[in-house]
Amino acid sequence: MEEANRTVVSEFILQGLCASKELQIFLLLPFSTLYLMAVLGNLFVVILIIIDHHLHSPMYFLLANLSFIDFCLSSVTTPKLITDLLKDNKTISFGGCMSQILCVHFFGGGEMVLLVTMAYDRYVAICRPLHYSSIMDRQKCIWLVLISWIIGFIHAMSQLILVLDLPFCGPRVIDSFFCDIPLVMKLACMNTDTLGILINADSGVLATTCFILLLVSYTYILLTVQLHSKDGSSKALSTCTSHIIVVLLFFGPVIFIYLWPVSVTWVDKFLAVFYSVITPLLNPAIYTLRNKDIKNAIKKLIKHM
């Protein structure tokens, strides 16, 4: 009987961003535009770094990987969000729901670790400049990126395994535009309090560890450079501001969604949109607008067109 119950729910119903049909139609163009800009912006950064040999350095190799992850992360939930704005019945299959959970945590977890890797790269460049080329060689950069992908995959699988075996036998309405683990767990036909603690602990440990490492890294960079030059703090700030802004944009919504004890539906939806649509759009804009090498590469590309 228990096995039969597990197979009753073959799909879930997503309530989307809002109930108003007029507002959904109104949001169609803005979200479509934002998603298109995020895709084009991130792919442009990746292609630019590949084709311009002046950008073949560890920092830009890591930046290209960050842009690729942002492209993937925005593509997990946003296309369905956009198409569902036109639908009255917003459904997602059980397999599609589990795939969303896997991909969101895979790319999200990978990005957290990659941001730490980028902080390490800046630490070596600013605090140990004479050893930079030997420490951050090509092989080490590749390994650091692979490690970020591997940790992201392990994190995603650990989350998915805990959710995959839950019995779903009745309620199937998810009050969001994508399959978010806390909302999916609410639909299970069993008490999930202990499981919820385990899942939050898993995400919390990864997010908190990465955030602390980032905080320590950038604090150490600023203090080290300030001690060695009169205008050190301004130079360090100029070098690291883009990274720090991206870190705050990424970890802000993550901390509120998964670590904040009180859940408010409209706040969770707003932060989820920010995390999956806005942040992937802002990252390439922040790096291109604040980076001279990227701007010079763009000018050079325009001249050759």
Side-chain angles (χ1 to χ4, degrees):
M1 184 68 183
E2 186 182 348
E3 286 298 318
N5 284 342
R6 289 172 186 269
T7 60
V8 168
V9 175
S10 59
E11 64 178 19
F12 296 100
I13 298 169
L14 299 172
Q15 288 196 335
L17 283 175
C18 57
S20 169
K21 187 66 181 175
E22 292 77 15
L23 185 56
Q24 289 181 53
I25 297 296
F26 174 77
L27 291 173
L28 181 63
L29 183 59
F31 276 116
S32 299
T33 305
L34 289 172
Y35 175 61
L36 183 63
M37 289 170 66
V39 168
L40 293 177
N42 283 294
L43 290 180
F44 176 74
V45 170
V46 173
I47 293 167
L48 186 67
I49 290 170
I50 290 171
I51 63 174
D52 193 315
H53 69 276
H54 292 104
L55 300 178
H56 291 180
S57 67
M59 185 177 78
Y60 295 112
F61 174 70
L62 297 174
L63 176 57
N65 277 275
L66 177 68
S67 290
F68 180 71
I69 289 180
D70 277 333
F71 158 70
C72 295
L73 190 59
S74 65
S75 298
V76 173
T77 58
T78 314
K80 178 155 183 61
L81 163 64
I82 293 167
T83 55
D84 279 352
L85 290 172
L86 297 170
K87 297 178 182 177
D88 291 324
N89 298 316
K90 304 171 179 63
T91 60
I92 185 170
S93 67
F94 182 85
C97 186
M98 295 302 113
S99 297
Q100 276 195 346
I101 289 172
L102 176 68
C103 291
V104 165
H105 285 271
F106 175 41
F107 296 123
E111 182 158 342
M112 286 184 199
V113 182
L114 186 61
L115 288 170
V116 174
T117 302
M118 293 176 77
Y120 174 71
D121 171 73
R122 289 301 84 207
Y123 158 75
V124 176
I126 294 169
C127 301
R128 302 186 65 187
L130 298 177
H131 303 281
Y132 181 72
S133 57
S134 60
I135 294 173
M136 293 299 292
D137 58 33
R138 184 176 181 83
Q139 188 176 11
K140 189 166 188 178
C141 286
I142 292 170
W143 270 110
L144 287 170
V145 169
L146 280 175
I147 288 168
S148 70
W149 285 98
I150 291 166
I151 292 175
F153 181 73
I154 292 170
H155 166 65
M157 287 304 296
S158 67
Q159 297 276 297
L160 183 65
I161 288 167
L162 291 171
V163 176
L164 198 57
D165 204 40
L166 287 174
F168 297 100
C169 52
R172 57 196 186 106
V173 178
I174 298 172
D175 190 9
S176 185
F177 61 91
F178 75 107
C179 286
D180 196 14
I181 287 182
L183 298 177
V184 172
M185 283 199 308
K186 287 180 181 178
L187 306 180
C189 303
M190 62 175 282
N191 187 293
T192 58
D193 291 345
T194 305
L195 190 64
I197 293 169
L198 281 174
I199 286 173
N200 281 336
D202 185 350
S203 294
V205 166
L206 180 63
T208 305
T209 303
C210 289
F211 189 69
I212 290 171
L213 286 172
L214 287 162
L215 198 63
V216 171
S217 298
Y218 286 118
T219 302
Y220 186 80
I221 289 168
L222 294 173
L223 290 175
T224 303
V225 181
Q226 189 175 33
L227 288 172
H228 286 82
S229 63
K230 293 178 181 178
D231 60 340
S233 58
S234 61
K235 284 185 178 179
L237 193 60
S238 175
T239 306
C240 299
T241 298
S242 298
H243 294 258
I244 293 168
I245 291 171
V246 168
V247 166
L248 293 174
L249 286 173
F250 184 84
F251 278 92
V254 170
I255 289 168
F256 271 90
I257 291 171
Y258 291 102
L259 304 181
W260 201 252
V262 181
S263 179
V264 181
T265 302
W266 72 266
V267 174
D268 288 345
K269 286 184 181 182
F270 170 77
L271 291 173
V273 168
F274 191 87
Y275 176 77
S276 58
V277 183
I278 308 299
T279 302
L281 169 65
L282 291 177
N283 284 357
I286 290 165
Y287 281 112
T288 53
L289 291 174
R290 296 187 60 86
N291 188 290
K292 288 182 180 179
D293 292 335
I294 294 282
K295 286 193 280 190
N296 289 336
I298 292 170
K299 290 175 184 177
K300 193 191 301 179
L301 183 65
I302 293 170
K303 284 181 182 178
H304 285 86
M305 289 178 68

